[in-house]
Amino acid sequence: MSTARTSAVAIHGVSLSLIEVEADLGNGIPGFIILGLPDASLNEARERIKAAARNTGIPLANRKLTVNLSPATLPKYGSGFDLAILVAALAADHQLLASPSTLYLAELGLDGTLRAVPGVLPAVQLAKEHGLDRVIVAEANGNEARLVEGIEVKSARHLGQVLEFCGAQKELITMHLHHPGPAVAPALSTLASASHDEADLQLVNGQQEARLALELAAAGGHHLIMVGPAGAGKTMLAKCLPTIIPPLDDSQALEATAVHSITSGAMHEVNQLQRTPPFVAPHHTSSLSALIGGGTAQLIPGAITRAHHGILFLDEAAQFNTGVLDALRQPIEEGYINLARARSHQRLPARFQLILASNPCPCGRNFGTGTGCTCTPMARRRYFARLSGPILDRVDLQVRVNPVHQSQLLSTTQNESSAIVRERVRTTRERSQERLRPFAISCNAQIPTQILRHELRYPAKTKAALEQLAARRGLSARGIHRLLRVAWTVADQQQHAAPTEDDLAVAAHLRQSLENS
């Protein structure tokens, strides 16, 4: 019998499927055929595999080789099938033994070098769930694969090491390990620390109202928009947000690291779980597909998925295309996005915290008395109207960030550091988590409407004040609920059992009407 089977993994969006790789050596005109809806990069694997096998000393048989990737109706993408196909082909020629209970996941170089591929962490999780015993990956993916406990992981730098492990004759194997490997980008943890060390609230002078809004956003997971002139500190404040948010818990860290592995795992070495919330800041020229994800044949995760369990920062928000911003409505509410195409349908996670920053007008000087602004009233309205009412209605905290006076800007007074504020945020979150634990909710911004209305209790004076405020401002039902969630965060920060009138007043003050800025 000239057939053999190995296992590999196919990635679609952030979903993975276990693939059975079948190799068959038959009679007929020599050739190499890959079946099972391979894409162009997978079809090119034929030449990579033949060259790698030949340069390792065990060439493929000069016969008709047919490789089937099952299920055959599922499209396959990428170069992560190289190693599984080669091992199955050599096993079909009885040159080594291949175990179907082993997952093979690596790209092959022409000299037999094993190269990193994306999605190793979720792939190893999938292999464990399906009862596979072992995973073989490239050396650059070894630490990432070992983050999953309960399954044997073997990493190799060269194909010859894998073939030797699979029982090939050692005297036939040729390995060239003297070539230095490709430059590996810094590990995930190194990238996170390098980006956040430069941002600290200690560097922000003044802006007490914006600092309070930022602290409440971190404590309750609330969305935030800051509107003010250029140079007022909006971007610096936004970049400080990850430094005051407590580390992700085990479940969140595993999901965030899995998303990072799928989207960037082949470029950045992953050595540990991502505990720092991801911070994603796409440029204002980003397209709809770049922000929410998309593609024709293959659905690629967008910025909102890469920001899962983290922060999506849209600087110069009014410069974004209106349709791009409006596409955020569903993921803001539901924490995921459904992408439907003619050939596929994917549900991508998108539980992110939205932070917006915008100038008040095209010239950016419409603040205070507005005497420095050169824009016409129509130009100001048209500029800010790019932020639609439904989007602003979904943003819990809406604050103005005016320029800091020169005396404050040049002051040598020591400001509160991010470490001090982070400790306060941690205490506030612990209070809210203790109250929300029976409902399996992690922060106030995620409280469902049913629980907000019927399960949580409010003082009578707070209810009366809320009714008057809603009537005076003409708040929508969504606006009332979001105001209540912020009031709960203020109450937790002030160590109150329930929101008081003062807590509600603070929440209302930090939800200013910006439509007519």
Side-chain angles (χ1 to χ4, degrees):
M1 183 176 180
S2 299
T3 61
R5 290 180 175 85
T6 56
S7 297
V9 164
I11 300 176
H12 296 270
V14 295
S15 301
L16 287 84
S17 302
L18 194 63
I19 302 299
E20 186 178 58
V21 180
E22 302 171 299
D24 175 77
L25 279 175
N27 298 321
I29 300 175
F32 190 168
I33 303 172
I34 298 179
L35 308 176
L37 297 183
D39 71 335
S41 62
L42 185 49
N43 265 321
E44 292 172 354
R46 294 175 297 180
E47 300 305 320
R48 290 195 300 269
I49 289 170
K50 288 190 289 187
R54 183 178 62 252
N55 293 325
T56 308
I58 306 181
L60 298 181
N62 190 27
R63 297 169 61 186
K64 182 178 181 181
L65 174 60
T66 303
V67 174
N68 181 48
L69 307 178
S70 178
T73 56
L74 185 69
K76 320 296 188 307
Y77 307 98
S79 58
F81 297 88
D82 290 6
L83 183 59
I85 294 175
L86 175 54
V87 172
L90 293 179
D93 196 26
H94 304 291
Q95 299 196 60
L96 49 81
L97 297 176
S99 172
S101 62
T102 298
L103 180 69
Y104 300 88
L105 198 60
E107 177 185 330
L108 289 173
L110 298 183
D111 62 350
T113 303
L114 297 189
R115 293 175 176 155
V117 295
V120 167
L121 175 63
V124 177
Q125 287 180 288
L126 182 69
K128 180 181 176 182
E129 293 171 0
H130 282 75
L132 271 64
D133 302 325
R134 188 183 299 108
V135 177
I136 298 180
V137 297
E139 188 176 63
N141 287 136
N143 291 332
E144 179 181 350
R146 293 184 183 95
L147 293 175
V148 181
E149 298 178 352
I151 187 170
E152 182 184 358
V153 175
K154 289 189 173 294
S155 59
R157 184 177 169 188
H158 194 273
L159 174 62
Q161 297 169 299
V162 179
L163 300 185
E164 184 177 332
F165 173 76
C166 293
Q169 298 182 39
K170 295 182 181 180
E171 57 273 14
L172 298 178
I173 297 175
T174 304
M175 286 189 288
H176 301 281
L177 296 176
H178 59 277
H179 297 291
V184 179
L188 174 63
S189 56
T190 306
L191 289 173
S193 60
S195 60
H196 297 322
D197 285 346
E198 302 175 358
D200 195 291
L201 280 175
Q202 195 171 17
L203 303 175
V204 180
N205 286 358
Q207 303 296 7
Q208 296 306 316
E209 186 173 294
R211 289 173 67 107
L212 173 60
L214 199 71
E215 181 176 339
L216 292 175
H222 303 290
H223 306 304
L224 167 68
I225 180 172
M226 295 176 285
V227 177
K234 305 183 296 295
T235 302
M236 177 178 285
L237 284 164
K239 289 183 177 179
C240 288
L241 183 57
T243 67
I244 64 175
I245 295 180
L248 301 177
D249 60 30
D250 291 343
S251 175
Q252 293 172 336
L254 192 60
E255 291 183 17
T257 310
V259 170
H260 173 82
S261 174
I262 291 172
T263 56
S264 307
M267 296 179 289
H268 298 142
E269 187 177 353
V270 179
N271 291 327
Q272 62 185 23
L273 293 182
Q274 182 171 358
R275 297 290 180 178
T276 304
F279 184 87
V280 180
H283 193 259
H284 63 262
T285 58
S286 298
S287 66
L288 181 64
S289 296
L291 193 65
I292 69 170
T296 52
Q298 183 183 9
L299 292 182
I300 306 297
I304 63 174
T305 299
R306 290 187 284 113
H308 185 55
H309 290 312
I311 298 149
L312 178 67
F313 175 47
L314 302 185
D315 202 3
E316 305 297 341
Q319 297 286 356
F320 278 79
N321 185 282
T322 303
V324 172
L325 289 178
D326 285 339
L328 297 176
R329 296 184 193 181
Q330 180 201 3
I332 286 176
E333 292 288 341
E334 300 179 353
Y336 62 86
I337 184 167
N338 286 315
L339 289 181
R341 298 295 184 268
R343 296 183 180 179
S344 61
H345 176 274
Q346 286 289 327
R347 173 170 166 165
L348 304 179
R351 179 69 66 185
F352 59 88
Q353 186 173 356
L354 180 63
I355 306 297
L356 303 170
S358 175
N359 290 334
C361 63
C363 77
R365 294 192 292 271
N366 182 29
F367 62 92
T369 59
T371 54
C373 179
T374 58
C375 305
T376 65
M378 180 60 71
R380 288 197 294 266
R381 285 196 297 270
R382 186 183 300 114
Y383 181 83
F384 204 76
R386 296 180 181 179
L387 298 173
S388 65
I391 284 293
L392 290 177
D393 199 34
R394 288 168 167 82
V395 180
D396 307 333
L397 299 165
Q398 305 177 10
V399 295
R400 288 179 176 274
V401 181
N402 290 323
V404 178
H405 193 270
Q406 289 85 344
S407 59
Q408 284 183 305
L409 188 63
L410 301 176
S411 174
T412 58
T413 304
Q414 194 79 357
N415 300 313
E416 276 190 327
S417 66
S418 291
I420 296 175
V421 178
R422 182 170 61 245
E423 186 61 27
R424 246 190 347 257
V425 169
R426 184 188 62 80
T427 303
T428 303
R429 280 207 172 190
E430 286 178 352
R431 287 183 60 87
S432 62
Q433 289 171 354
E434 182 66 26
R435 181 182 65 255
L436 298 174
R437 187 170 291 115
F439 311 111
I441 303 170
S442 59
C443 63
N444 289 326
Q446 298 176 9
I447 302 177
T449 304
Q450 177 71 16
I451 295 175
L452 194 65
R453 286 180 178 179
H454 303 290
E455 303 294 338
L456 302 181
R457 305 296 178 185
Y458 311 91
K461 291 184 179 180
T462 304
K463 286 186 177 182
L466 179 60
E467 291 174 1
Q468 295 175 4
L469 183 65
R472 185 169 66 252
R473 288 195 178 183
L475 296 178
S476 65
R478 181 187 292 112
I480 294 173
H481 295 149
R482 291 193 174 274
L483 185 61
L484 267 177
R485 294 184 181 104
V486 176
W488 272 108
T489 302
V490 177
D492 290 332
Q493 185 195 52
Q494 300 300 319
Q495 300 184 7
H496 297 156
T500 64
E501 292 178 89
D502 291 340
D503 297 333
L504 185 65
V506 171
H509 178 72
L510 294 176
R511 188 182 170 85
Q512 303 171 12
S513 177
L514 300 175
E515 286 88 344
N516 298 319
S517 297

